[in-house]
């Protein structure tokens, strides 16, 4: 069997605010295989975003070990992590996070700019990504000239423009109406069918039904790990196990 | 990230905040323009003084006749005529700092050649005077000792005389009439040009001192061997003050002036005065340039201030850029490029404005136009440095942002 794309063992993340320490994520272990569609659920403040930041190499754990595609990334420095994100990971955020002054296509090509892709190739790749989210005719619109759903499509195009293996989405439908949210989910499901591993945070049960596997968090801990049919999956090995 | 991409990105974000960019640039524009203008004005001042010194001749002093006091009424300079040719001879031998002492007479009057005439100044001098004042002989020759002794009716004329009486043709061998007495032209002097004050140095005729004394009206006023003044040339600029003292002592002794009684002559140390003025004007101009430099620095602080605001405002943007793969150096370069672009644009406009200001001063303010390409280059370089220096800290701050903190920022 192929190495899981995500292997986390005993990941913890503490935040120190003044004299207080917040255990945002506690002893999180999981294996996620290539091509899986995973939803993360849980109440606000339960550590979902913290978990996603660690999985997305935006942050480094206070304790534990994390292997992305078999490579140990828990010890890499900031610039190495940036390179890793550029090549392997795409992000989609609740608030879209598009550059206000840049056109749709300019937003989409941003990861390629940092990847050092020459301008001509960049534009072609960005145009293809926009096409795959159905926004070819909006390539030169500014974000302010797009609807919420369209902005999120641009953000998805940006997330997939560098052909990442993993797309992480933090409440991508949170700022959209139900109808538009469904459309975005359909798009993510389509990406997943093309082989991209997707990890998605949501607090809507309906959204979570698109996933094959749902993780529940509470107070920084993973408390449940179910497949689509509701079966409790075998808990992944605990933190003491060697990778 | 490539440099061209950094430039495009900087241009985009500067455009996004046009008014802010313009105001920030204004600080640099004012600073650079002020530096350019002040350096130019300083150089102009220096040039004016240098011209004046050149017109005067290096290390030149003048001794002039003193003031007549009759019944408590003081008559002004040159009313008590006591200087003689013998005084001049005594100064050369008796004042070690003095190289040349040239006695002179001076008259003004109409000179005539053929059917044209011209009002000018006539100097009764010797070759020593021409040397002291650094007049160069153009065509022809200078006076010979014979002519100087024998009151020969020969003349050396300046360029303006050639223009006015001989329409620019070489006048050597021609005759001019001074007070109806014919003088043969034996030589011409090279142009000294116009001083910055508009005085024409070249509007002049030289005749031998002895000829002026015996043939022109001026000789009636300066009887015996009396002269109007004595032009002195010291050996060096350092000796000007010593020379002044030596000449004063010597003349007081020769004129038998009792201790405590006033001099019956004036020693005028114009060269030293000009040197001193040149120095103070230079100092003033550089002081102003330094103040202008400080305003450039203030402009730089303006850049830093705005960049810090910009970094704070764009925290989410920085986080997003990091999320999609920007390394710290990419963020650093992006913000430094923005600061640098502001300061360079400001530098270019400032140089143009400063030079324009100088040209305007030269045009309307009767001031020599001195454009120093070096000062433009230095001002540009300095404003680039200001941009990098004051842009670096905010850029560094941005590049050190934690992506998750930056992304969470609302
Ligand atoms: N940068 C931070 N500094 C301090 N505390 C933080 C920081 N980020 C998150 N937290 C805390 O960590 C906990 C988990 O946050 P988060 O992962 O964002 O929860 P969720 O996404 O499930 O709502 C919360 O209590 C939150 O206040
Ligand atoms: Mg969250």
């Amino acid at each position: 069997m192929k190495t899981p794309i995500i292997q986390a063992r005993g990941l913890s993340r503490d935040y120190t605010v003044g004299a207080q320490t917040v255990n945002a994520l506690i002893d999180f272990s999981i294996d996620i295989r290539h091509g899986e569609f995973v939803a993360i659920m849980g109440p606000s403040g339960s550590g979902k975003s913290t978990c996603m930041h660690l999985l997305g190499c935006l942050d480094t754990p206070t304790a534990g070990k994390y292997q992305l595609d078999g490579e140990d990334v828990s010890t890499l420095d900031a610039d190495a992590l940036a390179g890793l994100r550029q090549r392997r990971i795409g992000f989609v955020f609740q608030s879209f996070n598009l550059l206000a002054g840049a056109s749709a296509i300019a937003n989409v090509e941003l990861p390629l700019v940092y990847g050092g892709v020459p301008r001509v190739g960049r534009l072609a790749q960005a145009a293809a990504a926009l096409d795959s989210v159905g926004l070819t005719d909006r390539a030169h619109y500014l974000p302010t000239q797009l609807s919420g759903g369209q902005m999120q499509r641009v953000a998805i195009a940006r997330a997939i423009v560098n052909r990442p293996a993993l797309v992480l989405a933090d409440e991508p439908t949170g700022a959209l109406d139900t109808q538009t949210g469904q459309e975005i989910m359909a798009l993510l499901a389509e990406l997943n069918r093309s082989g991209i591993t997707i990890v998605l945070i949501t607090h809507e049960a309906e959204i979570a039904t698109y996933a094959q596997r749902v993780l529940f968090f509470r107070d920084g801990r993973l408390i449940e790990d179910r497949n689509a049919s509701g079966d409790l999956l075998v808990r992944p090995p605990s933190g003491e196990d060697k990778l | 990230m490539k440099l061209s991409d950094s430039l495009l990105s900087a241009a985009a974000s500067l455009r996004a905040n046009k008014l802010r960019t313009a105001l920030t640039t204004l600080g640099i524009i004012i600073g650079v323009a002020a530096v350019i203008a002040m350096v130019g004005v300083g150089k102009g001042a220096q040039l004016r003084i240098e011209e004046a010194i050149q017109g005067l001749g290096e290390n030149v002093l003048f001794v002039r006749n003193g003031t007549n006091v009759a019944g408590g009424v003081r008559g002004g300079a040159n009313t008590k005529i006591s200087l003689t040719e013998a005084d001049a001879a005594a100064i050369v031998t008796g004042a070690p700092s003095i190289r040349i002492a040239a006695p002179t007479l001076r008259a003004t009057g109409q000179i005539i050649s053929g059917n044209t005439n011209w009002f000018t100044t006539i100097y009764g001098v010797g070759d020593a005077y021409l040397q002291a004042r650094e007049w160069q002989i153009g065509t022809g020759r200078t006076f010979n000792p014979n002519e100087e002794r024998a009151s020969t009716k020969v003349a050396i004329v300046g360029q303006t005389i050639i223009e006015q009486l001989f329409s620019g043709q070489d006048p050597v061998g021609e005759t001019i009439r001074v007070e109806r007495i014919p003088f043969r032209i034996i030589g011409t002097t090279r142009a000294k040009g116009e001083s910055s004050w508009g005085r024409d140095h070249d509007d002049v005729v030289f005749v031998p001192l002895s000829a002026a004394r015996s043939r022109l009206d001026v000789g009636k006023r300066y009887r015996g061997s009396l002269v109007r003044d004595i032009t002195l040339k010291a050996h060096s600029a350092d000796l000007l003050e010593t020379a002044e003292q030596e000449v004063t002592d010597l003349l007081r002794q020769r004129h038998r002036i009792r201790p405590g009684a006033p001099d019956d002559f004036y020693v005028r140390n114009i060269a030293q005065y000009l040197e001193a003025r040149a120095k103070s004007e230079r100092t003033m101009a550089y002081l102003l340039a330094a103040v202008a430099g400080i305003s450039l620095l203030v402009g730089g602080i303006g850049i830093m201030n705005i960049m810090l605001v910009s970094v704070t405002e764009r925290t989410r943007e920085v986080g997003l850029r990091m999320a999609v793969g920007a390394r710290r150096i990419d963020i650093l370069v992006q913000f430094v490029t923005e600061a640098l672009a502001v300061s360079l644009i400001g530098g270019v406009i400032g140089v143009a404005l400063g030079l324009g200001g100088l040209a305007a001063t030269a045009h309307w303010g009767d001031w020599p136009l001195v454009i120093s390409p070096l000062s433009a280059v230095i001002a540009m370089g300095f404003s680039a440095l200001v941009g990098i220096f004051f842009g670096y800290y905010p850029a560094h701050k941005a590049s050190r942002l934690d992506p998750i903190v930056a992304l969470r920022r609302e």
Side-chain angles (χ1 to χ4, degrees), chain A residues 15 17 22 24 43-50, chain B residues 405 408:
Chain A
Y15 291 109
V17 183
V22 181
S44 183
S46 58
K48 307 183 295 291
S49 293
T50 301
Chain B
V405 174
R408 271 182 201 268

Side-chain angles (χ1 to χ4, degrees), chain A residues 13 15 49-50 53 58-59 78-79 82-83 85-86 91 93 95 97 99 110-111 113-114 116-119 122 158, chain B residues 1-2 5 8 12 16 316-317 319-331 334 402-404 407-408 410:
Chain A
R13 179 64 164 102
Y15 291 109
S49 293
T50 301
H53 292 152
L58 280 168
D59 197 10
D79 285 348
R85 294 192 295 269
Q86 197 280 324
F91 291 94
F93 303 95
S95 51
N97 274 335
L99 299 187
L110 199 59
V113 170
Y114 292 113
V117 180
R119 199 172 155 72
R122 224 156 66 195
R158 180 182 63 196
Chain B
M1 195 177 187
K2 293 197 190 66
D5 291 321
L8 284 176
R316 273 178 82 83
E317 174 191 329
L320 183 272
R321 286 178 184 275
M322 286 176 159
V324 301
R327 289 163 302 154
R328 286 176 166 177
I329 183 85
D330 295 323
I331 302 294
Q334 181 191 346
D402 186 343
I404 57 160
L407 279 171
R408 271 182 201 268
E410 284 317 317

Side-chain angles (χ1 to χ4, degrees), chain A residues 19 47 100 128 168 176 211:
Chain A
L168 302 173
L176 304 175

